PDB file of all heavy atoms in Angstrom:
ATOM      1  N   ALA F 278      -7.256 -27.026 -63.902  1.00 66.00           N
ATOM      2  CA  ALA F 278      -7.035 -26.016 -64.994  1.00 66.00           C
ATOM      3  C   ALA F 278      -6.624 -24.746 -64.408  1.00 66.00           C
ATOM      4  O   ALA F 278      -5.549 -24.125 -64.963  1.00 66.00           O
ATOM      5  CB  ALA F 278      -8.244 -25.846 -65.896  1.00 66.00           C
ATOM      6  N   GLU F 279      -7.230 -24.265 -63.404  1.00 69.00           N
ATOM      7  CA  GLU F 279      -6.891 -23.027 -62.665  1.00 69.00           C
ATOM      8  C   GLU F 279      -5.534 -23.044 -62.162  1.00 69.00           C
ATOM      9  O   GLU F 279      -4.817 -22.018 -62.273  1.00 69.00           O
ATOM     10  CB  GLU F 279      -7.938 -22.651 -61.669  1.00 69.00           C
ATOM     11  CG  GLU F 279      -9.146 -22.016 -62.171  1.00 69.00           C
ATOM     12  CD  GLU F 279      -8.948 -20.643 -62.740  1.00 69.00           C
ATOM     13  OE1 GLU F 279      -8.653 -19.701 -61.982  1.00 69.00           O
ATOM     14  OE2 GLU F 279      -8.926 -20.569 -63.928  1.00 69.00           O
ATOM     15  N   ARG F 280      -5.132 -24.165 -61.610  1.00 68.00           N
ATOM     16  CA  ARG F 280      -3.732 -24.193 -61.049  1.00 68.00           C
ATOM     17  C   ARG F 280      -2.723 -24.007 -62.118  1.00 68.00           C
ATOM     18  O   ARG F 280      -1.571 -23.664 -61.796  1.00 68.00           O
ATOM     19  CB  ARG F 280      -3.532 -25.559 -60.418  1.00 68.00           C
ATOM     20  CG  ARG F 280      -4.209 -25.688 -58.972  1.00 68.00           C
ATOM     21  CD  ARG F 280      -3.731 -26.860 -58.298  1.00 68.00           C
ATOM     22  NE  ARG F 280      -3.858 -28.114 -59.009  1.00 68.00           N
ATOM     23  CZ  ARG F 280      -5.026 -28.877 -58.984  1.00 68.00           C
ATOM     24  NH1 ARG F 280      -6.044 -28.497 -58.244  1.00 68.00           N
ATOM     25  NH2 ARG F 280      -5.125 -29.965 -59.591  1.00 68.00           N
ATOM     26  N   GLN F 281      -3.033 -24.354 -63.284  1.00 61.00           N
ATOM     27  CA  GLN F 281      -2.022 -24.348 -64.439  1.00 61.00           C
ATOM     28  C   GLN F 281      -2.171 -23.054 -65.195  1.00 61.00           C
ATOM     29  O   GLN F 281      -1.233 -22.799 -66.045  1.00 61.00           O
ATOM     30  CB  GLN F 281      -2.281 -25.524 -65.344  1.00 61.00           C
ATOM     31  CG  GLN F 281      -2.324 -26.868 -64.750  1.00 61.00           C
ATOM     32  CD  GLN F 281      -1.079 -27.113 -63.917  1.00 61.00           C
ATOM     33  OE1 GLN F 281      -0.031 -26.803 -64.226  1.00 61.00           O
ATOM     34  NE2 GLN F 281      -1.320 -27.713 -62.677  1.00 61.00           N
ATOM     35  N   ARG F 282      -3.139 -22.268 -65.099  1.00 62.00           N
ATOM     36  CA  ARG F 282      -3.367 -21.109 -65.951  1.00 62.00           C
ATOM     37  C   ARG F 282      -2.328 -20.140 -65.997  1.00 62.00           C
ATOM     38  O   ARG F 282      -1.951 -19.798 -67.123  1.00 62.00           O
ATOM     39  CB  ARG F 282      -4.670 -20.379 -65.423  1.00 62.00           C
ATOM     40  CG  ARG F 282      -5.055 -19.310 -66.499  1.00 62.00           C
ATOM     41  CD  ARG F 282      -6.467 -18.780 -66.211  1.00 62.00           C
ATOM     42  NE  ARG F 282      -6.836 -18.657 -64.968  1.00 62.00           N
ATOM     43  CZ  ARG F 282      -6.798 -17.466 -64.343  1.00 62.00           C
ATOM     44  NH1 ARG F 282      -6.316 -16.415 -64.872  1.00 62.00           N
ATOM     45  NH2 ARG F 282      -7.193 -17.260 -63.076  1.00 62.00           N
ATOM     46  N   GLY F 283      -1.682 -19.733 -65.030  1.00 63.00           N
ATOM     47  CA  GLY F 283      -0.530 -18.747 -65.096  1.00 63.00           C
ATOM     48  C   GLY F 283      -0.948 -17.470 -65.612  1.00 63.00           C
ATOM     49  O   GLY F 283      -1.925 -16.835 -65.209  1.00 63.00           O
ATOM     50  N   LYS F 284      -0.172 -16.958 -66.560  1.00 57.00           N
ATOM     51  CA  LYS F 284      -0.420 -15.545 -67.118  1.00 57.00           C
ATOM     52  C   LYS F 284      -1.359 -15.520 -68.202  1.00 57.00           C
ATOM     53  O   LYS F 284      -1.538 -14.369 -68.744  1.00 57.00           O
ATOM     54  CB  LYS F 284       1.019 -15.100 -67.576  1.00 57.00           C
ATOM     55  CG  LYS F 284       2.054 -14.958 -66.397  1.00 57.00           C
ATOM     56  CD  LYS F 284       3.300 -14.511 -66.967  1.00 57.00           C
ATOM     57  CE  LYS F 284       4.381 -14.519 -65.857  1.00 57.00           C
ATOM     58  NZ  LYS F 284       5.727 -14.058 -66.422  1.00 57.00           N
ATOM     59  N   VAL F 285      -1.929 -16.575 -68.692  1.00 65.00           N
ATOM     60  CA  VAL F 285      -2.838 -16.469 -69.813  1.00 65.00           C
ATOM     61  C   VAL F 285      -4.210 -16.085 -69.355  1.00 65.00           C
ATOM     62  O   VAL F 285      -4.694 -16.518 -68.416  1.00 65.00           O
ATOM     63  CB  VAL F 285      -2.804 -17.912 -70.541  1.00 65.00           C
ATOM     64  CG1 VAL F 285      -3.751 -17.819 -71.704  1.00 65.00           C
ATOM     65  CG2 VAL F 285      -1.474 -18.263 -70.962  1.00 65.00           C
ATOM     66  N   SER F 286      -4.879 -15.131 -70.131  1.00 63.00           N
ATOM     67  CA  SER F 286      -6.102 -14.786 -69.730  1.00 63.00           C
ATOM     68  C   SER F 286      -7.152 -15.875 -69.876  1.00 63.00           C
ATOM     69  O   SER F 286      -6.993 -16.844 -70.721  1.00 63.00           O
ATOM     70  CB  SER F 286      -6.579 -13.538 -70.723  1.00 63.00           C
ATOM     71  OG  SER F 286      -6.898 -14.088 -72.046  1.00 63.00           O
ATOM     72  N   PRO F 287      -8.274 -15.928 -69.037  1.00 63.00           N
ATOM     73  CA  PRO F 287      -9.156 -16.956 -69.085  1.00 63.00           C
ATOM     74  C   PRO F 287      -9.844 -17.150 -70.473  1.00 63.00           C
ATOM     75  O   PRO F 287     -10.126 -18.222 -70.913  1.00 63.00           O
ATOM     76  CB  PRO F 287     -10.304 -16.534 -68.099  1.00 63.00           C
ATOM     77  CG  PRO F 287      -9.515 -15.644 -67.144  1.00 63.00           C
ATOM     78  CD  PRO F 287      -8.469 -14.943 -68.004  1.00 63.00           C
ATOM     79  N   SER F 288     -10.082 -15.978 -71.197  1.00 61.00           N
ATOM     80  CA  SER F 288     -10.670 -16.134 -72.522  1.00 61.00           C
ATOM     81  C   SER F 288      -9.785 -16.866 -73.442  1.00 61.00           C
ATOM     82  O   SER F 288     -10.350 -17.557 -74.389  1.00 61.00           O
ATOM     83  CB  SER F 288     -11.117 -14.822 -72.974  1.00 61.00           C
ATOM     84  OG  SER F 288      -9.997 -13.941 -73.123  1.00 61.00           O
ATOM     85  N   SER F 289      -8.482 -16.732 -73.338  1.00 67.00           N
ATOM     86  CA  SER F 289      -7.479 -17.547 -74.213  1.00 67.00           C
ATOM     87  C   SER F 289      -7.236 -18.908 -73.623  1.00 67.00           C
ATOM     88  O   SER F 289      -7.208 -19.869 -74.481  1.00 67.00           O
ATOM     89  CB  SER F 289      -6.174 -16.807 -74.250  1.00 67.00           C
ATOM     90  OG  SER F 289      -6.277 -15.561 -74.764  1.00 67.00           O
ATOM     91  N   TYR F 290      -7.190 -18.999 -72.392  1.00 74.00           N
ATOM     92  CA  TYR F 290      -6.870 -20.316 -71.842  1.00 74.00           C
ATOM     93  C   TYR F 290      -8.009 -21.358 -71.928  1.00 74.00           C
ATOM     94  O   TYR F 290      -7.688 -22.519 -71.994  1.00 74.00           O
ATOM     95  CB  TYR F 290      -6.512 -20.036 -70.268  1.00 74.00           C
ATOM     96  CG  TYR F 290      -6.027 -21.302 -69.618  1.00 74.00           C
ATOM     97  CD1 TYR F 290      -4.777 -21.701 -69.919  1.00 74.00           C
ATOM     98  CD2 TYR F 290      -6.724 -22.002 -68.594  1.00 74.00           C
ATOM     99  CE1 TYR F 290      -4.185 -22.840 -69.331  1.00 74.00           C
ATOM    100  CE2 TYR F 290      -6.248 -23.097 -68.035  1.00 74.00           C
ATOM    101  CZ  TYR F 290      -4.919 -23.514 -68.421  1.00 74.00           C
ATOM    102  OH  TYR F 290      -4.451 -24.596 -67.790  1.00 74.00           O
ATOM    103  N   LYS F 291      -9.237 -20.850 -72.011  1.00 76.00           N
ATOM    104  CA  LYS F 291     -10.324 -21.749 -72.110  1.00 76.00           C
ATOM    105  C   LYS F 291     -10.218 -22.682 -73.420  1.00 76.00           C
ATOM    106  O   LYS F 291     -10.471 -23.811 -73.413  1.00 76.00           O
ATOM    107  CB  LYS F 291     -11.693 -21.023 -72.209  1.00 76.00           C
ATOM    108  CG  LYS F 291     -11.920 -20.295 -73.455  1.00 76.00           C
ATOM    109  CD  LYS F 291     -13.259 -19.665 -73.518  1.00 76.00           C
ATOM    110  CE  LYS F 291     -13.488 -18.734 -74.753  1.00 76.00           C
ATOM    111  NZ  LYS F 291     -13.007 -19.129 -76.039  1.00 76.00           N
ATOM    112  N   ASP F 292      -9.640 -22.036 -74.498  1.00 82.00           N
ATOM    113  CA  ASP F 292      -9.387 -22.875 -75.734  1.00 82.00           C
ATOM    114  C   ASP F 292      -8.440 -24.022 -75.421  1.00 82.00           C
ATOM    115  O   ASP F 292      -8.565 -25.037 -76.062  1.00 82.00           O
ATOM    116  CB  ASP F 292      -8.908 -21.988 -76.849  1.00 82.00           C
ATOM    117  CG  ASP F 292      -9.970 -20.894 -77.311  1.00 82.00           C
ATOM    118  OD1 ASP F 292     -11.227 -21.319 -77.166  1.00 82.00           O
ATOM    119  OD2 ASP F 292      -9.607 -19.865 -77.786  1.00 82.00           O
ATOM    120  N   ILE F 293      -7.387 -23.647 -74.636  1.00 84.00           N
ATOM    121  CA  ILE F 293      -6.442 -24.737 -74.378  1.00 84.00           C
ATOM    122  C   ILE F 293      -7.038 -25.854 -73.582  1.00 84.00           C
ATOM    123  O   ILE F 293      -6.928 -27.041 -73.913  1.00 84.00           O
ATOM    124  CB  ILE F 293      -5.207 -24.077 -73.596  1.00 84.00           C
ATOM    125  CG1 ILE F 293      -4.539 -23.122 -74.551  1.00 84.00           C
ATOM    126  CG2 ILE F 293      -4.307 -25.105 -73.030  1.00 84.00           C
ATOM    127  CD1 ILE F 293      -3.626 -22.193 -73.855  1.00 84.00           C
ATOM    128  N   VAL F 294      -7.690 -25.500 -72.515  1.00 81.00           N
ATOM    129  CA  VAL F 294      -8.278 -26.468 -71.664  1.00 81.00           C
ATOM    130  C   VAL F 294      -9.332 -27.309 -72.327  1.00 81.00           C
ATOM    131  O   VAL F 294      -9.474 -28.542 -72.330  1.00 81.00           O
ATOM    132  CB  VAL F 294      -8.893 -25.863 -70.347  1.00 81.00           C
ATOM    133  CG1 VAL F 294      -9.595 -26.860 -69.529  1.00 81.00           C
ATOM    134  CG2 VAL F 294      -7.690 -25.246 -69.590  1.00 81.00           C
ATOM    135  N   LEU F 295     -10.277 -26.634 -72.956  1.00 82.00           N
ATOM    136  CA  LEU F 295     -11.384 -27.322 -73.687  1.00 82.00           C
ATOM    137  C   LEU F 295     -11.018 -28.079 -74.892  1.00 82.00           C
ATOM    138  O   LEU F 295     -11.498 -29.121 -75.178  1.00 82.00           O
ATOM    139  CB  LEU F 295     -12.446 -26.227 -74.103  1.00 82.00           C
ATOM    140  CG  LEU F 295     -13.228 -25.540 -72.890  1.00 82.00           C
ATOM    141  CD1 LEU F 295     -14.048 -24.481 -73.401  1.00 82.00           C
ATOM    142  CD2 LEU F 295     -13.837 -26.518 -72.054  1.00 82.00           C
ATOM    143  N   GLY F 296      -9.850 -27.672 -75.555  1.00 88.00           N
ATOM    144  CA  GLY F 296      -9.332 -28.453 -76.681  1.00 88.00           C
ATOM    145  C   GLY F 296      -8.771 -29.766 -76.132  1.00 88.00           C
ATOM    146  O   GLY F 296      -8.953 -30.781 -76.821  1.00 88.00           O
ATOM    147  N   LEU F 297      -8.016 -29.719 -75.025  1.00 89.00           N
ATOM    148  CA  LEU F 297      -7.471 -30.981 -74.485  1.00 89.00           C
ATOM    149  C   LEU F 297      -8.650 -31.858 -74.067  1.00 89.00           C
ATOM    150  O   LEU F 297      -8.616 -33.079 -74.217  1.00 89.00           O
ATOM    151  CB  LEU F 297      -6.535 -30.681 -73.234  1.00 89.00           C
ATOM    152  CG  LEU F 297      -5.201 -30.162 -73.662  1.00 89.00           C
ATOM    153  CD1 LEU F 297      -4.409 -29.786 -72.381  1.00 89.00           C
ATOM    154  CD2 LEU F 297      -4.360 -31.180 -74.429  1.00 89.00           C
ATOM    155  N   LEU F 298      -9.603 -31.312 -73.320  1.00 86.00           N
ATOM    156  CA  LEU F 298     -10.809 -32.063 -72.841  1.00 86.00           C
ATOM    157  C   LEU F 298     -11.526 -32.712 -74.099  1.00 86.00           C
ATOM    158  O   LEU F 298     -11.906 -33.887 -74.013  1.00 86.00           O
ATOM    159  CB  LEU F 298     -11.723 -31.261 -72.029  1.00 86.00           C
ATOM    160  CG  LEU F 298     -11.360 -31.036 -70.589  1.00 86.00           C
ATOM    161  CD1 LEU F 298     -12.412 -30.177 -69.937  1.00 86.00           C
ATOM    162  CD2 LEU F 298     -11.434 -32.421 -69.897  1.00 86.00           C
ATOM    163  N   PHE F 299     -11.692 -31.922 -75.098  1.00 89.00           N
ATOM    164  CA  PHE F 299     -12.319 -32.509 -76.369  1.00 89.00           C
ATOM    165  C   PHE F 299     -11.667 -33.657 -76.861  1.00 89.00           C
ATOM    166  O   PHE F 299     -12.202 -34.727 -77.220  1.00 89.00           O
ATOM    167  CB  PHE F 299     -12.530 -31.379 -77.330  1.00 89.00           C
ATOM    168  CG  PHE F 299     -13.324 -31.824 -78.564  1.00 89.00           C
ATOM    169  CD1 PHE F 299     -14.670 -32.013 -78.503  1.00 89.00           C
ATOM    170  CD2 PHE F 299     -12.740 -32.095 -79.726  1.00 89.00           C
ATOM    171  CE1 PHE F 299     -15.408 -32.377 -79.544  1.00 89.00           C
ATOM    172  CE2 PHE F 299     -13.357 -32.531 -80.846  1.00 89.00           C
ATOM    173  CZ  PHE F 299     -14.792 -32.651 -80.770  1.00 89.00           C
ATOM    174  N   LEU F 300     -10.328 -33.569 -77.023  1.00 94.00           N
ATOM    175  CA  LEU F 300      -9.587 -34.713 -77.508  1.00 94.00           C
ATOM    176  C   LEU F 300      -9.683 -35.853 -76.627  1.00 94.00           C
ATOM    177  O   LEU F 300      -9.794 -37.021 -77.086  1.00 94.00           O
ATOM    178  CB  LEU F 300      -7.993 -34.306 -77.641  1.00 94.00           C
ATOM    179  CG  LEU F 300      -7.066 -35.390 -78.202  1.00 94.00           C
ATOM    180  CD1 LEU F 300      -7.488 -35.816 -79.585  1.00 94.00           C
ATOM    181  CD2 LEU F 300      -5.593 -34.920 -78.180  1.00 94.00           C
ATOM    182  N   LYS F 301      -9.658 -35.707 -75.307  1.00 91.00           N
ATOM    183  CA  LYS F 301      -9.765 -36.794 -74.323  1.00 91.00           C
ATOM    184  C   LYS F 301     -11.156 -37.497 -74.562  1.00 91.00           C
ATOM    185  O   LYS F 301     -11.261 -38.750 -74.633  1.00 91.00           O
ATOM    186  CB  LYS F 301      -9.674 -36.216 -73.009  1.00 91.00           C
ATOM    187  CG  LYS F 301     -10.269 -37.178 -71.848  1.00 91.00           C
ATOM    188  CD  LYS F 301      -9.193 -38.267 -71.400  1.00 91.00           C
ATOM    189  CE  LYS F 301      -9.699 -39.001 -70.193  1.00 91.00           C
ATOM    190  NZ  LYS F 301      -8.982 -40.239 -70.055  1.00 91.00           N
ATOM    191  N   PHE F 302     -12.199 -36.777 -74.679  1.00 89.00           N
ATOM    192  CA  PHE F 302     -13.524 -37.287 -74.863  1.00 89.00           C
ATOM    193  C   PHE F 302     -13.810 -37.911 -76.141  1.00 89.00           C
ATOM    194  O   PHE F 302     -14.352 -38.993 -76.251  1.00 89.00           O
ATOM    195  CB  PHE F 302     -14.612 -36.273 -74.518  1.00 89.00           C
ATOM    196  CG  PHE F 302     -14.796 -36.066 -73.095  1.00 89.00           C
ATOM    197  CD1 PHE F 302     -14.013 -35.227 -72.429  1.00 89.00           C
ATOM    198  CD2 PHE F 302     -15.822 -36.786 -72.386  1.00 89.00           C
ATOM    199  CE1 PHE F 302     -14.165 -35.057 -70.977  1.00 89.00           C
ATOM    200  CE2 PHE F 302     -15.897 -36.702 -70.960  1.00 89.00           C
ATOM    201  CZ  PHE F 302     -15.104 -35.784 -70.354  1.00 89.00           C
ATOM    202  N   ILE F 303     -13.296 -37.346 -77.303  1.00 93.00           N
ATOM    203  CA  ILE F 303     -13.500 -37.965 -78.595  1.00 93.00           C
ATOM    204  C   ILE F 303     -12.647 -39.255 -78.699  1.00 93.00           C
ATOM    205  O   ILE F 303     -13.058 -40.260 -79.322  1.00 93.00           O
ATOM    206  CB  ILE F 303     -13.351 -37.039 -79.763  1.00 93.00           C
ATOM    207  CG1 ILE F 303     -11.846 -36.567 -79.969  1.00 93.00           C
ATOM    208  CG2 ILE F 303     -14.238 -35.908 -79.802  1.00 93.00           C
ATOM    209  CD1 ILE F 303     -11.587 -35.773 -81.203  1.00 93.00           C
ATOM    210  N   SER F 304     -11.501 -39.321 -77.990  1.00 94.00           N
ATOM    211  CA  SER F 304     -10.651 -40.521 -77.979  1.00 94.00           C
ATOM    212  C   SER F 304     -11.378 -41.658 -77.252  1.00 94.00           C
ATOM    213  O   SER F 304     -11.368 -42.732 -77.715  1.00 94.00           O
ATOM    214  CB  SER F 304      -9.271 -40.219 -77.321  1.00 94.00           C
ATOM    215  OG  SER F 304      -8.580 -39.232 -78.110  1.00 94.00           O
ATOM    216  N   HIS F 305     -12.030 -41.244 -76.229  1.00 91.00           N
ATOM    217  CA  HIS F 305     -12.770 -42.271 -75.471  1.00 91.00           C
ATOM    218  C   HIS F 305     -13.901 -42.910 -76.429  1.00 91.00           C
ATOM    219  O   HIS F 305     -14.033 -44.115 -76.448  1.00 91.00           O
ATOM    220  CB  HIS F 305     -13.439 -41.771 -74.212  1.00 91.00           C
ATOM    221  CG  HIS F 305     -14.325 -42.620 -73.466  1.00 91.00           C
ATOM    222  ND1 HIS F 305     -13.842 -43.588 -72.757  1.00 91.00           N
ATOM    223  CD2 HIS F 305     -15.618 -42.716 -73.413  1.00 91.00           C
ATOM    224  CE1 HIS F 305     -14.812 -44.366 -72.223  1.00 91.00           C
ATOM    225  NE2 HIS F 305     -15.974 -43.815 -72.644  1.00 91.00           N
ATOM    226  N   GLY F 306     -14.628 -42.008 -77.057  1.00 92.00           N
ATOM    227  CA  GLY F 306     -15.582 -42.517 -77.981  1.00 92.00           C
ATOM    228  C   GLY F 306     -15.027 -43.377 -79.107  1.00 92.00           C
ATOM    229  O   GLY F 306     -15.688 -44.414 -79.479  1.00 92.00           O
ATOM    230  N   TYR F 307     -13.847 -43.032 -79.681  1.00 96.00           N
ATOM    231  CA  TYR F 307     -13.193 -43.721 -80.625  1.00 96.00           C
ATOM    232  C   TYR F 307     -12.890 -45.087 -80.172  1.00 96.00           C
ATOM    233  O   TYR F 307     -13.127 -46.178 -80.844  1.00 96.00           O
ATOM    234  CB  TYR F 307     -12.057 -43.003 -81.187  1.00 96.00           C
ATOM    235  CG  TYR F 307     -11.241 -43.772 -82.060  1.00 96.00           C
ATOM    236  CD1 TYR F 307     -11.435 -43.848 -83.460  1.00 96.00           C
ATOM    237  CD2 TYR F 307     -10.184 -44.605 -81.682  1.00 96.00           C
ATOM    238  CE1 TYR F 307     -10.742 -44.610 -84.303  1.00 96.00           C
ATOM    239  CE2 TYR F 307      -9.424 -45.386 -82.479  1.00 96.00           C
ATOM    240  CZ  TYR F 307      -9.674 -45.376 -83.850  1.00 96.00           C
ATOM    241  OH  TYR F 307      -8.989 -46.227 -84.729  1.00 96.00           O
ATOM    242  N   GLU F 308     -12.297 -45.171 -78.917  1.00 95.00           N
ATOM    243  CA  GLU F 308     -11.773 -46.398 -78.406  1.00 95.00           C
ATOM    244  C   GLU F 308     -13.017 -47.440 -78.207  1.00 95.00           C
ATOM    245  O   GLU F 308     -12.942 -48.603 -78.387  1.00 95.00           O
ATOM    246  CB  GLU F 308     -10.960 -46.212 -77.126  1.00 95.00           C
ATOM    247  CG  GLU F 308      -9.654 -45.562 -77.307  1.00 95.00           C
ATOM    248  CD  GLU F 308      -8.734 -46.273 -78.314  1.00 95.00           C
ATOM    249  OE1 GLU F 308      -8.858 -47.615 -78.408  1.00 95.00           O
ATOM    250  OE2 GLU F 308      -7.867 -45.633 -78.934  1.00 95.00           O
ATOM    251  N   GLN F 309     -14.119 -46.815 -77.703  1.00 94.00           N
ATOM    252  CA  GLN F 309     -15.367 -47.683 -77.493  1.00 94.00           C
ATOM    253  C   GLN F 309     -15.845 -48.267 -78.676  1.00 94.00           C
ATOM    254  O   GLN F 309     -16.151 -49.424 -78.793  1.00 94.00           O
ATOM    255  CB  GLN F 309     -16.390 -46.856 -76.740  1.00 94.00           C
ATOM    256  CG  GLN F 309     -16.304 -46.598 -75.319  1.00 94.00           C
ATOM    257  CD  GLN F 309     -17.431 -45.936 -74.718  1.00 94.00           C
ATOM    258  OE1 GLN F 309     -18.031 -44.976 -75.290  1.00 94.00           O
ATOM    259  NE2 GLN F 309     -17.965 -46.464 -73.640  1.00 94.00           N
ATOM    260  N   ARG F 310     -15.837 -47.444 -79.785  1.00 97.00           N
ATOM    261  CA  ARG F 310     -16.394 -47.960 -81.051  1.00 97.00           C
ATOM    262  C   ARG F 310     -15.348 -48.920 -81.635  1.00 97.00           C
ATOM    263  O   ARG F 310     -15.755 -50.024 -82.247  1.00 97.00           O
ATOM    264  CB  ARG F 310     -16.590 -46.799 -81.980  1.00 97.00           C
ATOM    265  CG  ARG F 310     -16.914 -47.206 -83.445  1.00 97.00           C
ATOM    266  CD  ARG F 310     -18.339 -47.886 -83.521  1.00 97.00           C
ATOM    267  NE  ARG F 310     -18.655 -48.367 -84.781  1.00 97.00           N
ATOM    268  CZ  ARG F 310     -19.142 -49.600 -85.037  1.00 97.00           C
ATOM    269  NH1 ARG F 310     -19.436 -50.448 -84.054  1.00 97.00           N
ATOM    270  NH2 ARG F 310     -19.240 -50.023 -86.219  1.00 97.00           N
ATOM    271  N   ARG F 311     -14.110 -48.701 -81.532  1.00 97.00           N
ATOM    272  CA  ARG F 311     -13.055 -49.677 -81.940  1.00 97.00           C
ATOM    273  C   ARG F 311     -13.185 -51.046 -81.323  1.00 97.00           C
ATOM    274  O   ARG F 311     -13.172 -52.040 -81.978  1.00 97.00           O
ATOM    275  CB  ARG F 311     -11.627 -49.064 -81.664  1.00 97.00           C
ATOM    276  CG  ARG F 311     -10.612 -49.919 -82.341  1.00 97.00           C
ATOM    277  CD  ARG F 311      -9.181 -49.275 -82.190  1.00 97.00           C
ATOM    278  NE  ARG F 311      -8.075 -50.095 -82.744  1.00 97.00           N
ATOM    279  CZ  ARG F 311      -7.717 -50.073 -83.922  1.00 97.00           C
ATOM    280  NH1 ARG F 311      -8.331 -49.326 -84.839  1.00 97.00           N
ATOM    281  NH2 ARG F 311      -6.731 -50.864 -84.402  1.00 97.00           N
ATOM    282  N   GLN F 312     -13.492 -51.038 -79.987  1.00 96.00           N
ATOM    283  CA  GLN F 312     -13.767 -52.305 -79.252  1.00 96.00           C
ATOM    284  C   GLN F 312     -15.005 -53.064 -79.859  1.00 96.00           C
ATOM    285  O   GLN F 312     -14.975 -54.211 -80.063  1.00 96.00           O
ATOM    286  CB  GLN F 312     -13.889 -52.119 -77.804  1.00 96.00           C
ATOM    287  CG  GLN F 312     -12.635 -51.691 -77.138  1.00 96.00           C
ATOM    288  CD  GLN F 312     -12.806 -51.297 -75.712  1.00 96.00           C
ATOM    289  OE1 GLN F 312     -13.942 -51.461 -75.106  1.00 96.00           O
ATOM    290  NE2 GLN F 312     -11.754 -50.832 -75.016  1.00 96.00           N
ATOM    291  N   GLU F 313     -16.053 -52.225 -80.193  1.00 97.00           N
ATOM    292  CA  GLU F 313     -17.248 -52.916 -80.820  1.00 97.00           C
ATOM    293  C   GLU F 313     -16.826 -53.430 -82.151  1.00 97.00           C
ATOM    294  O   GLU F 313     -17.375 -54.600 -82.440  1.00 97.00           O
ATOM    295  CB  GLU F 313     -18.274 -51.806 -81.009  1.00 97.00           C
ATOM    296  CG  GLU F 313     -18.875 -51.364 -79.826  1.00 97.00           C
ATOM    297  CD  GLU F 313     -19.878 -50.123 -79.941  1.00 97.00           C
ATOM    298  OE1 GLU F 313     -20.030 -49.683 -81.191  1.00 97.00           O
ATOM    299  OE2 GLU F 313     -20.274 -49.517 -79.003  1.00 97.00           O
ATOM    300  N   ILE F 314     -16.140 -52.805 -82.978  1.00 97.00           N
ATOM    301  CA  ILE F 314     -15.635 -53.296 -84.307  1.00 97.00           C
ATOM    302  C   ILE F 314     -14.821 -54.584 -84.114  1.00 97.00           C
ATOM    303  O   ILE F 314     -15.003 -55.510 -84.875  1.00 97.00           O
ATOM    304  CB  ILE F 314     -14.933 -52.178 -85.100  1.00 97.00           C
ATOM    305  CG1 ILE F 314     -15.910 -51.019 -85.410  1.00 97.00           C
ATOM    306  CG2 ILE F 314     -14.452 -52.839 -86.407  1.00 97.00           C
ATOM    307  CD1 ILE F 314     -15.203 -49.795 -85.928  1.00 97.00           C
ATOM    308  N   GLU F 315     -13.930 -54.543 -83.125  1.00 96.00           N
ATOM    309  CA  GLU F 315     -13.119 -55.784 -82.856  1.00 96.00           C
ATOM    310  C   GLU F 315     -13.990 -56.948 -82.551  1.00 96.00           C
ATOM    311  O   GLU F 315     -13.715 -58.102 -83.029  1.00 96.00           O
ATOM    312  CB  GLU F 315     -12.054 -55.492 -81.767  1.00 96.00           C
ATOM    313  CG  GLU F 315     -10.978 -54.479 -82.103  1.00 96.00           C
ATOM    314  CD  GLU F 315     -10.128 -54.179 -80.998  1.00 96.00           C
ATOM    315  OE1 GLU F 315     -10.395 -54.379 -79.835  1.00 96.00           O
ATOM    316  OE2 GLU F 315      -8.994 -53.612 -81.346  1.00 96.00           O
ATOM    317  N   LYS F 316     -15.051 -56.775 -81.774  1.00 96.00           N
ATOM    318  CA  LYS F 316     -15.995 -57.889 -81.397  1.00 96.00           C
ATOM    319  C   LYS F 316     -16.677 -58.304 -82.655  1.00 96.00           C
ATOM    320  O   LYS F 316     -16.847 -59.426 -82.842  1.00 96.00           O
ATOM    321  CB  LYS F 316     -16.878 -57.399 -80.348  1.00 96.00           C
ATOM    322  CG  LYS F 316     -16.303 -57.351 -78.976  1.00 96.00           C
ATOM    323  CD  LYS F 316     -17.335 -56.884 -77.842  1.00 96.00           C
ATOM    324  CE  LYS F 316     -16.680 -56.646 -76.612  1.00 96.00           C
ATOM    325  NZ  LYS F 316     -17.644 -56.032 -75.632  1.00 96.00           N
ATOM    326  N   GLU F 317     -17.130 -57.342 -83.458  1.00 94.00           N
ATOM    327  CA  GLU F 317     -17.966 -57.632 -84.665  1.00 94.00           C
ATOM    328  C   GLU F 317     -17.132 -58.383 -85.636  1.00 94.00           C
ATOM    329  O   GLU F 317     -17.653 -59.218 -86.558  1.00 94.00           O
ATOM    330  CB  GLU F 317     -18.469 -56.307 -85.291  1.00 94.00           C
ATOM    331  CG  GLU F 317     -19.537 -55.664 -84.408  1.00 94.00           C
ATOM    332  CD  GLU F 317     -19.813 -54.233 -84.954  1.00 94.00           C
ATOM    333  OE1 GLU F 317     -19.233 -53.776 -85.947  1.00 94.00           O
ATOM    334  OE2 GLU F 317     -20.518 -53.546 -84.221  1.00 94.00           O
ATOM    335  N   THR F 318     -15.848 -58.145 -85.712  1.00 94.00           N
ATOM    336  CA  THR F 318     -14.938 -58.765 -86.752  1.00 94.00           C
ATOM    337  C   THR F 318     -14.112 -59.810 -86.225  1.00 94.00           C
ATOM    338  O   THR F 318     -13.088 -60.208 -86.844  1.00 94.00           O
ATOM    339  CB  THR F 318     -14.147 -57.628 -87.430  1.00 94.00           C
ATOM    340  OG1 THR F 318     -13.214 -57.052 -86.372  1.00 94.00           O
ATOM    341  CG2 THR F 318     -14.931 -56.622 -88.060  1.00 94.00           C
TER     342      THR F 318
END
């Protein structure tokens, strides 16, 4: 994240980085649950 930051202040940039990380993590949870539903059905 730091390598990519550039001219954006850390207080603004944190939203960008944490937003992407959040999407990554909730997608992982979604995919795990989807696999469970696939097995159940």
Side-chain angles (χ1 to χ4, degrees):
E279 276 295 287
R280 284 192 301 275
Q281 307 308 320
R282 184 165 45 93
K284 298 179 183 177
V285 180
S286 72
S288 59
S289 299
Y290 190 67
K291 72 172 173 45
D292 293 330
I293 293 164
V294 172
L295 295 173
L297 284 174
L298 276 175
F299 184 73
L300 181 61
K301 166 78 174 167
F302 281 86
I303 65 172
S304 294
H305 175 74
Y307 172 86
E308 292 301 333
Q309 281 187 315
R310 177 64 188 137
R311 186 175 177 87
Q312 289 173 7
E313 291 170 5
I314 297 168
E315 286 174 348
K316 287 178 187 174
E317 294 166 3
T318 61

